[in-house]
Amino acid sequence: MNDSLRAARVATFVYFTLCGTLMGTWVVNIPAVEERVGISHATLGGLLVLLGLGAFIGMQVAGRLTDGLGARIVVPATGVLSSVALVLPGLPREPWTLAGALLVFGFCNGCLDVSMNAHAVHVEKAYGRPVMSAFHATFSVGGVLAALVGAATASAGLSPAAGMSAMGALGIVIALVSARALLPAAPAAADADTDAEREAEQAPAAKRSSTSGRIWMLATLALMVMLCEGAANDWSALHLKDVLGAPASTAAFAYGTFAATMTIGRLLADRLVARFGSMAILRYGAATAAVGITIVTVSPWIWAAFAGWALFGLGLSGCVPQLFSAAGHADPSAAGANVSRVAGLGYVGMLAGPAVIGWLTHLVALNHAFVLLILLCAITAVAARILRTGSDRTLEMAHGSH
């Protein structure tokens, strides 16, 4: 394995960390921005929809740009743009200007998200073994770094604009410095030159249509899995507080438990994929998540709820990386576009999760609303067979030969 490939992998880790840090920096500054602009929680919720809309549009644009121009150009460019755009939400004093800032920031961050995932697919193909889950783990690490930096800047008395500007300036430097290590194009390694991929390049329209249908199936699974993640992000602490009567200080650890086991799971998932295959990780991961959220739903004990949220995070941890990886490997010539479809629909699920659970709480108790999450995890486990088709079998055979 040559040094340039190792450098490309390190650079990909850097961009995933950068993306997580930029988004995390915005998240930790939300309360201060809300107070500065003088808006209610309900108004802020509406404005956050624009952040999601911008991200979704950016993902679709970046997918095609990455396929056409190459990740080595698009990834650093979108890294710089995202870093610049981070400053914007810290400046407004009016709701309409904040709306525009969030739309732009969401667009740029969505572009970075898809382009770096497309590059990660190329790195994984060149390595000939699973490396995708570790990249997603470093995105979570970026969120932790953002929380630490945000706490430090707040204690130092810096305004949101100052703190976000400092992080944005650092992000520009990181994006530019890391650019040279990226792969110039989809690697032409022996692993990438398989008979299956030659056939894909010469495939008739019917086969291309089948591939497109499979991509949308992967995207639907991503929507379901990321809806579960989004629900955990917003409702785990409230579950402990409102349903089980835990103190607010204790309830806050529910999300921390979920996030910690998800990060640990993603750090371990690549080795498990190499040993058991991506289908097994998706199937048994979703099944584990179903068991975890079932415990959360039925248990009257706080300690059991923590165990349930931990299992939920651990089970979900490897699912999304496998879906992104499968989309990227399905057609190497359109990796960016395919990843953008899966990531885009998955992002819709992430945003919809909290809202769907919130709507269900008008009909049933919060813990009973989690039955939806159980069903989605069970469906994902059953549908995991989709990862046994096409280029994923080829990739798994390549993994087994190393």
Side-chain angles (χ1 to χ4, degrees), residues 201-363:
E201 292 172 359
Q202 301 168 0
K207 187 170 183 178
R208 289 196 299 270
S209 177
S210 175
T211 299
S212 178
R214 181 166 179 262
I215 293 300
W216 286 114
M217 290 180 66
L218 293 171
T220 301
L221 291 178
L223 183 148
M224 292 192 292
V225 171
M226 294 180 72
L227 188 150
C228 292
E229 288 187 29
N233 291 345
D234 281 35
W235 292 103
S236 53
L238 285 171
H239 165 258
L240 260 75
K241 181 176 180 294
D242 295 345
V243 176
L244 300 183
S249 57
T250 301
F253 285 103
Y255 172 69
T257 301
F258 169 81
T261 55
M262 176 166 279
T263 302
I264 292 170
R266 285 179 171 172
L267 290 172
L268 298 175
D270 288 330
R271 293 181 181 275
L272 295 176
V273 173
R275 182 175 180 85
F276 301 108
S278 58
M279 183 189 74
I281 298 306
L282 182 60
R283 171 171 291 169
Y284 295 111
T288 299
V291 171
I293 197 64
T294 299
I295 293 173
V296 170
T297 300
V298 303
S299 176
W301 302 297
I302 292 176
W303 63 267
F306 276 118
W309 286 117
L311 278 176
F312 194 50
L314 186 65
L316 292 179
S317 62
C319 294
V320 168
Q322 304 321 309
L323 296 170
F324 280 25
S325 179
H329 291 296
D331 182 357
S333 65
N338 288 337
V339 169
S340 72
R341 294 186 183 104
V342 175
L345 204 56
Y347 199 77
V348 169
M350 179 75 78
L351 294 174
V356 170
I357 296 298
W359 179 80
L360 287 175
T361 58
H362 292 294
L363 305 175

